[in-house]
Amino acid sequence: MTTATKTFPVAISARHIHLSEADLQALFGPQATLTKDFDLSQPGQFAAKERVSIEGPKGVIHNVRVLGPVRAATQVEVSRTDAMKLGVTPPLRQSGDIDHSAGIKISSQHHELAIEQGVIIAQAHIHMTEEDAKALEVQNNELVSVEVISDRPVTFRGVVVRVSNDFSLEMHIDTDEANAGFIEQQAQGTLVKVTS
């Protein structure tokens, strides 16, 4: 058997929110648009200047970054630690899979709304192009393991491969996963796929 390896950057994704057009305007007023602060690593994605607070039964977290562009449905991505502080029980899901997920209250400086679902803990995943997937011999939605070397080396299992030519090769983990592994921004991960 041979082992094919490939190293790629690992990005740490802090809590954030994606807003629908309707919820954006409900929070920031009619005709509101997101104001770009800076571009993110994935093409077309950006961090907006707009911030919100999210509140659950046990607590509130302020200054949560809104990411753009707007989406079809509002989605809040938190860590397990965040969820415990808020008092909510979001499922571990791929981004976009929000059916029967947790609800929460979202507020801006002047407005607030409540969503019945949309809060998730994002499953660790790797963005890649079709060319990347071919080189790595993986397919969209395949689950793989990734080793990240740090002062406390860790291997992530059940990492979802997400393939699109709109993506840039990069693995995303949340702050809990990064803290557990002593991982800093732009660490390197290695996917090891055993083939016959």
Side-chain angles (χ1 to χ4, degrees):
M1 304 179 74
T2 61
T3 302
T5 63
K6 175 74 174 186
T7 300
F8 39 79
V10 177
I12 303 163
S13 182
R15 68 181 77 98
H16 60 272
I17 182 170
H18 304 274
L19 291 173
S20 67
E21 187 70 51
D23 288 348
L24 170 65
Q25 295 186 17
L27 288 166
F28 294 98
Q31 311 306 315
T33 58
L34 292 176
T35 308
K36 184 187 291 188
D37 193 0
F38 56 87
D39 289 318
L40 299 176
S41 58
Q42 294 303 309
Q45 306 295 305
F46 63 91
K49 292 183 179 180
E50 287 73 20
R51 306 289 183 106
V52 298
S53 297
I54 53 176
E55 183 177 353
K58 291 185 177 179
V60 59
I61 297 176
H62 299 290
N63 206 35
V64 177
R65 173 82 73 171
V66 178
L67 301 188
V70 294
R71 291 195 175 184
T74 292
Q75 175 176 294
V76 182
E77 297 181 36
V78 297
S79 69
R80 176 67 172 166
T81 299
D82 292 335
M84 294 173 67
K85 177 178 180 178
L86 294 164
V88 296
T89 54
L92 181 67
R93 296 275 184 84
Q94 287 195 51
S95 179
D97 182 6
I98 62 171
D99 287 347
H100 307 294
S101 57
I104 207 161
K105 185 167 73 174
I106 306 167
S107 59
S108 64
Q109 186 174 359
H110 301 292
H111 304 283
E112 68 177 40
L113 59 87
I115 57 172
E116 295 183 357
Q117 62 180 23
V119 185
I120 65 169
I121 297 172
Q123 187 170 359
H125 55 280
I126 311 171
H127 291 287
M128 64 179 69
T129 64
E130 292 178 2
E131 184 177 351
D132 294 325
K134 184 176 180 180
L136 290 167
E137 300 179 314
V138 295
Q139 298 179 353
N140 190 45
N141 288 324
E142 183 174 345
L143 299 179
V144 298
S145 294
V146 176
E147 182 181 20
V148 182
I149 299 301
S150 67
D151 289 339
R152 181 185 285 171
V154 62
T155 298
F156 293 95
R157 300 175 64 184
V159 179
V160 182
V161 173
R162 305 195 65 177
V163 180
S164 170
N165 286 330
D166 293 331
F167 291 155
S168 176
L169 181 61
E170 186 176 63
M171 178 177 171
H172 287 180
I173 59 176
D174 70 21
T175 50
D176 281 357
E177 292 166 319
N179 289 339
F182 287 27
I183 298 167
E184 298 182 356
Q185 285 287 11
Q186 298 306 308
Q188 296 292 306
T190 301
L191 182 153
V192 178
K193 185 174 178 66
V194 178
T195 58
S196 56

